[in-house]
Amino acid sequence: MDRQLDFVLDPEFKNLPSLVNNMRGEGMRFIFILDPAISANETDYYPAFVRGKQADVFIKWPQNLSDDIVWGKVWPDYPNVTVNESLDWDMQVKNYRSFTAFPDFFRATTAAWWYREIQDFYDNTTKFDGIWIDMNEPASFVHGTVEGKCLGNQLLENPPYMPPLESKHLGLNHKTLCMNSEQILSDGKRVRHYDVHNLYGWSHAKPTYDALLKVTGKRGVVVTRSTYPSSGKWAGHWLGDNNSSWDQLFKSIIGMMEFSLFGISYTGADICGFFNTAEYEMCLRWMQLGAFYPYSRNHNGKGSPRQDPVSWNSTFSEASRDILNIRYTLLPYLYTLMFEAHTKGSTVIRPLLHEFVNDKMTWGIDKQFLWGPALLITPALEKGVTNVEGYIPNARWYDFHTAKDIGVRRQMLNMPTPLDHINLHIRGGYILPWQKPERTTAYSRKNPLGLIVALSDSGTAQGSFFWDDGEGIDTIGNKKYLEIFLSAKSNTLTSQVRHTGLDPADKLVLGVVRVWGAGSEKITQVTLTDANDTGHPLNFNYNPDNQELIIDATPKSVIVDQPFTITWTTAL
C-alpha cells in the first residue's frame, strides 16, 4: 500500500494486479491487509477518509465534551516520515505530522461505508480472495490521542486497579483510544469505549467478512488479530507478534488450545517468530509444528532476515516440504474437522484430556495435542534434542510414518526425533480421509479420495468425510455438499451417504484405501461392491511386517457420493 494507506496501491506495485490474476488462474488465493485506522489529514483527496467523515463513521468524543473525532496515530504518514519504535512513545508524539481516525464498527453506517471501500478496491485496483485485518485492539502509536490528553472522567483512564504495562505511561489508554471516547451501538445507545474496548476487533470482523463475501461472491478467509468469543464464526486468528525463541514455539500450542475453547478454530502462530532473528534448528522445528496449525503461516517483521524454507538450505527446504506435504495430504481430514466445528461446536485442535478425560496423566499435558480425536502430534520443542518424551494414552496407536502399531499405551514413550522428523500417531478405531497433494488445493481436490482405516483392538473403525465445492457461500444451508459416514468391522469397510448434493464437477472417485492393523493372517482377496454391481476384485498389497493392507480402488471409478463396500478375505 502507498505509505500504508488502506485501499491505495503503491505505484511501485502497479503490476501487482496482473500478478494476482496469474496466481488466481493457477488456483492460488490472494489476501491483502487492512488496518481499521484511516489517515485523516492527507494533503490530497483520500476517498476512504472523506467518505467516512461524510457518513459520520469515526469514533468521537461524547457530545457534552466535544463534537470532534478522537484523533489517533497508526502506520500512515507523510513521505520521509518514519516511525521509530525504539524511541519513547511519548517523545515521538511531538514528531507526528499525520494522524488517523478509528471507525466505529458497531454502526450500520460504518459497515456500509467499509463495504463500499472494499468493493471499490476490488473493482478498480486488484482482485483478492481474503482480507487480513490488523491493529484492531484498537492499537495506536500514541496514548489516547495525538493531542496528548483525554477529555472527561480521568478515573476511566486511570482506574484504581491497573494491569502492568510496558511503558511508564499509567493509563488504560496505553497505545489505544481514550476510554471516554464514545461509540454507538446498533440500537442507537451511546456507550463509552471503556465498556466495549475488548469488542473492537470482534465488531471489525463481521463487517469485513460480510463485505468479502458480498464483493467476491465466494467464501473467503478473514484473519484478525483482535478477537472475542464468537469471533470464530467470521474470522481466523494468529497469535500476535511473537518472538523467535524456543519458549514461544512451545507456548503456541497452549495458545491454539485456548482459542479452540473460545470457538476460534482457525488459529496459528507466526511460524519461526515475528521479532528477532530466527535460528536454524528452532525454525525447522517450528516448521514441523506449524504444519499442524489450522492456520499455518511462516511470517516475520519488516527488516528481519528471511526465514522462509528456501532461504536456509536444501536440507531445511526438503524437510519443510516433506512435513507440509503431510499436512496437505491430510487436508480432507482437517476440512472435515472444521465442518464439524462449524456445525456441532466441536474443537479442531484439542488437548489429550478432552479425549481421555478419565486419565489424570493427560490433564497437565501441554506439549502434545490432537487434530480432532485421531491424530496425535508430538513435536520437538527444545534445542538439541534427538528424542522426545511423549505420553501415549490408552488406545491402539499407529506410527503415521510406518503404519505400524507401536504396541504401547498409557505410558510415557521415548521417541526418536532427528532434525528432519516429527512424531505423528493415528489412533486405532478411526478412519481418516486424505488426498495426494499437488501444488495448490485447486489441483489436489481433483485427486481421488484416499482413506486411512486404523483398526482398533477389536478390528473396528469409524469416521466421516465432508466435501463441497471449496468456495461456495453457505453450501451447508444450500444443501450443496456431501457428507458420508464410514465404518469398518469384520474385515469389511462400508460407507453410508448422509447427504449428497454436489455438482458433477465436484464429485470424487475412491482411490487408495490403507488398512492398518489388518492382522497376521494372509489376505487372499479384496472385493468392492458399489451401487451398480455385485462385486469386483481389487488390486491390493499386504505387508506382514507392519500389517498394512493397501487397496487401490482407483481403476473402478467409484463415485463416493454412492454407497460402497470393500471386503478383504483371509486365508483359512
Side-chain angles (χ1 to χ4, degrees), residues 71-351:
W71 304 113
K73 171 63 189 169
V74 192
W75 290 112
D77 220 325
Y78 293 135
N80 304 319
V81 175
T82 58
V83 176
N84 185 348
E85 296 189 28
S86 66
L87 298 179
D88 182 86
W89 291 91
D90 296 309
M91 293 297 294
Q92 287 201 77
V93 174
K94 300 175 183 178
N95 298 324
Y96 291 141
R97 295 187 297 173
S98 69
F99 43 88
T100 55
F102 289 86
D104 182 358
F105 287 101
F106 283 119
R107 307 187 202 179
T109 52
T110 306
W113 160 79
W114 191 241
Y115 159 71
R116 175 178 175 175
E117 301 307 322
I118 291 173
Q119 176 79 66
D120 183 70
F121 188 72
Y122 185 86
D123 290 342
N124 299 314
T125 303
T126 188
K127 299 295 186 284
F128 52 83
D129 305 281
I131 301 176
W132 164 18
I133 49 178
D134 193 12
M135 304 291 284
N136 54 355
E137 286 70 27
S140 180
F141 291 169
V142 297
H143 307 306
T145 174
V146 291
E147 284 94 347
K149 182 174 176 57
C150 293
L151 305 180
N153 183 0
Q154 295 305 300
L155 186 61
L156 293 183
E157 312 296 340
N158 296 277
Y161 169 75
M162 282 295 301
L165 300 171
E166 63 181 340
S167 80
K168 298 177 182 178
H169 181 83
L170 299 177
L172 286 182
N173 53 52
H174 174 86
K175 294 187 184 179
T176 190
L177 292 176
C178 294
M179 295 298 109
N180 279 297
S181 304
E182 186 174 80
Q183 295 190 242
I184 303 175
L185 303 184
S186 58
D187 61 0
K189 181 181 179 181
R190 296 176 179 272
V191 295
R192 303 167 300 185
H193 180 72
Y194 176 90
D195 296 312
V196 294
H197 172 80
N198 288 353
L199 293 171
Y200 192 86
W202 175 88
S203 70
H204 187 199
K206 186 180 188 303
T208 305
Y209 175 78
D210 291 342
L212 175 65
L213 268 58
K214 189 174 180 181
V215 165
T216 65
K218 296 180 180 181
R219 189 188 318 164
V221 172
V222 173
V223 183
T224 179
R225 191 168 80 176
S226 180
T227 61
Y228 201 78
S230 80
S231 291
K233 186 173 182 178
W234 310 304
H237 172 69
W238 84 103
L239 297 174
D241 295 344
N242 55 1
N243 289 320
S244 295
S245 60
W246 287 95
D247 71 306
Q248 297 284 288
L249 165 65
F250 154 58
K251 289 174 181 176
S252 69
I253 298 175
I254 299 172
M256 282 195 300
M257 292 193 290
E258 288 177 337
F259 272 83
S260 288
L261 296 179
F262 304 154
I264 304 172
S265 299
Y266 192 51
T267 304
D270 285 346
I271 294 172
C272 297
F274 181 81
F275 289 118
N276 305 324
T277 301
E279 184 265 327
Y280 183 98
E281 180 186 357
M282 182 211 68
C283 191
L284 182 51
R285 292 303 194 190
W286 212 325
M287 286 296 301
Q288 293 165 355
L289 169 61
F292 298 95
Y293 293 163
Y295 176 55
S296 181
R297 177 183 71 162
N298 182 317
H299 176 65
N300 65 340
K302 182 179 180 180
S304 297
R306 280 180 56 183
Q307 60 188 34
D308 57 284
V310 179
S311 68
W312 299 94
N313 58 25
S314 61
T315 301
F316 191 108
S317 59
E318 288 169 8
S320 298
R321 183 183 300 111
D322 289 344
I323 194 62
L324 287 172
N325 272 331
I326 293 175
R327 171 192 175 82
Y328 300 149
T329 297
L330 294 175
L331 279 183
Y333 176 58
L334 178 60
Y335 198 54
T336 300
L337 292 176
M338 296 294 283
F339 160 73
E340 292 174 350
H342 174 71
T343 56
K344 302 175 184 178
S346 59
T347 55
V348 176
I349 296 294
R350 63 187 67 166

Side-chain angles (χ1 to χ4, degrees), residues 31-42:
I31 300 174
F32 77 108
I33 189 169
L34 289 174
D35 289 350
I38 301 297
S39 184
N41 60 334
E42 292 294 309

Side-chain angles (χ1 to χ4, degrees), residues 1-3 5-10 46-47 121 125:
M1 298 297 182
D2 187 19
R3 295 182 291 113
L5 295 172
D6 281 359
F7 311 112
V8 183
L9 191 64
D10 190 317
Y46 179 36
F121 188 72
T125 303

